[in-house]
Amino acid sequence: MPLNPYSWNVIVAGRWNRAILTPQGIAARLFRLSADTPLEIEVPIDALGPYRVSHNGITVIATSRHLIVEPQQLTFAELSRAMETSRIAVHDLPETPLAAVGINVRYSTADASESLRQLVGHAWDAELSDQQFAIQKRSVGRSIQWEQGVVNITVSQQAAEFQLEFNIERRSQHVAEHDEWLSRPPNMIRELVQRILATIHNDCGDIANE
């Protein structure tokens, strides 16, 4: 089953100071760049949303409640770089009240396999259809314990497309615990995702080289 990665990121929930995390602040504090280093800065059209600040394949978005770090190439090695950038932010701004950190890996596939249909299907579908309701989207989710946190798994179907989402989450108010979660090596994250994918579909393939 071919899997297409999309929208991978690391999100640290907390009360972030956007007056500090300006594009220049992100460059100096998170990317460790000198003031004259060029940056790629995307400005929101409505002037209300946050800046998107990019350097060397990593994009940072800072809101008052979330620090979002995105790898531009969706591989586990690049996801690890996004985790390290998030870790730098946690250390550089230790006074920031923290709530949780989530490492997000997402895939889509147009493979309408029977195993995926059975996973998201339910007898309720037939009852809704009998009442002339057209189902727009189906989904199923689980939260499983892993290490000191949880993995939130969502499998959804909309038309012929399936989406598989993995949120690897640790809730904590302590910098040391966020540091430990964000220090996981890329192979550890990849192997976790691979193990879960094997329970969803036995033909997901090996994602070792992603």
Side-chain angles (χ1 to χ4, degrees), residues 19-36:
I20 295 175
L21 291 175
T22 61
Q24 294 75 22
I26 290 169
R29 292 173 175 268
L30 276 61
F31 293 142
R32 311 288 192 182
L33 301 175
S34 60
D36 58 349

Side-chain angles (χ1 to χ4, degrees), residues 11-22 26 48-51 61-68 93 96-99:
I11 300 178
V12 185
R15 282 184 279 172
W16 296 96
N17 188 339
R18 291 185 65 189
I20 295 175
L21 291 175
T22 61
I26 290 169
L48 297 176
Y51 294 103
I61 306 103
T63 74
S64 59
R65 295 192 177 188
H66 298 98
L67 182 76
I68 305 165
L93 297 165
T96 302
L98 302 175

Side-chain angles (χ1 to χ4, degrees), residues 94-114:
E95 69 280 4
T96 302
L98 302 175
V101 58
I103 302 163
N104 298 292
V105 176
R106 302 178 178 95
Y107 294 98
S108 66
T109 179
D111 185 346
S113 65
E114 186 59 28

Side-chain angles (χ1 to χ4, degrees), residues 9-16 65-69 79-80 82-91 97-106 146 148-152 166-184 189:
N9 59 30
V10 180
I11 300 178
V12 185
R15 282 184 279 172
W16 296 96
R65 295 192 177 188
H66 298 98
L67 182 76
I68 305 165
V69 184
L79 180 64
S80 182
M83 291 165 62
E84 176 60 22
T85 301
S86 304
R87 183 170 168 267
I88 290 170
V90 167
H91 275 277
L98 302 175
V101 58
I103 302 163
N104 298 292
V105 176
R106 302 178 178 95
W146 183 68
Q148 295 80 30
V150 299
V151 184
N152 301 302
F166 307 91
N167 167 244
I168 306 164
E169 180 187 59
R170 175 79 181 270
R171 292 185 176 272
S172 175
Q173 297 178 351
H174 303 291
V175 169
E177 293 177 355
H178 285 265
D179 177 273
E180 190 272 340
W181 201 247
L182 291 166
S183 298
R184 303 299 171 99
I189 303 299

Side-chain angles (χ1 to χ4, degrees), residues 30-45:
L30 276 61
F31 293 142
R32 311 288 192 182
L33 301 175
S34 60
D36 58 349
T37 304
L39 287 174
E40 180 183 339
I41 302 173
E42 298 176 60
V43 180
I45 295 175

